[in-house]
Amino acid sequence: QVQLVESGGGLVQAGGSLRLSCAASGRSLSDYVMGWFRQAPGKEREFVLAISWSNSTYYAESAMGRFTSSRDNARNTVYLQMNSLKPEDTAVYYCAASPRLWSSASPPKFAYEYNYWGQGPQVTVSS
């Protein structure tokens, strides 16, 4: 069992930056691929990126060049750094843990591949 607690989020102007943290308890995040998803009202949950235990990262097109992620396994925490934010980035952002093995060609991109989820703080980007 893994519990994921997210922090960060809030309101930011377009072009600004935010950093989200996802801290785990129960077991080490080194056993999991970590993913970030987002969901806007009335929309499906959308894949943002996935990151392996060794910090290999796979990006969705919407995140490429603007979002980065990193892991601190000693602190059992994963981070999402969001830069050059746009109003269309407004959503609830979820971190998630997947037991799937990492593959650079096919990392887990779908919600059903993740077993544990954070509570999802709101990120709002004003125009």
Side-chain angles (χ1 to χ4, degrees):
Q1 187 84 311
V2 178
Q3 294 79 45
L4 303 176
V5 178
E6 297 181 58
S7 61
L11 176 65
V12 65
Q13 291 183 330
S17 299
L18 283 174
R19 186 188 189 216
L20 303 182
S21 298
C22 178
S25 62
R27 59 186 61 192
S28 174
L29 289 183
S30 64
D31 297 326
Y32 298 91
V33 173
M34 297 300 297
W36 290 94
F37 291 78
R38 66 186 184 184
Q39 189 166 22
K43 293 188 176 181
E44 297 290 328
R45 190 163 297 186
E46 176 189 12
F47 173 77
V48 177
L49 60 81
I51 181 169
S52 76
W53 69 270
S54 60
N55 281 287
S56 297
T57 309
Y58 180 88
Y59 300 89
E61 183 67 27
S62 61
M64 188 77 69
R66 299 189 300 122
F67 294 4
T68 59
S69 187
S70 62
R71 301 179 68 147
D72 186 340
N73 289 327
R75 295 175 61 87
N76 221 23
T77 301
V78 63
Y79 304 94
L80 178 65
Q81 178 68 44
M82 301 182 288
N83 300 319
S84 302
L85 283 163
K86 305 173 182 179
E88 52 262 44
D89 295 319
T90 295
V92 173
Y93 282 73
Y94 299 92
C95 69
S98 172
R100 308 254 175 157
L101 295 177
W102 177 261
S103 170
S104 60
S106 184
K109 307 181 190 69
F110 302 100
Y112 73 83
E113 298 180 275
Y114 290 82
N115 293 77
Y116 306 103
W117 294 83
Q119 80 278 12
Q122 175 74 42
V123 172
T124 301
V125 184
S126 62
S127 60

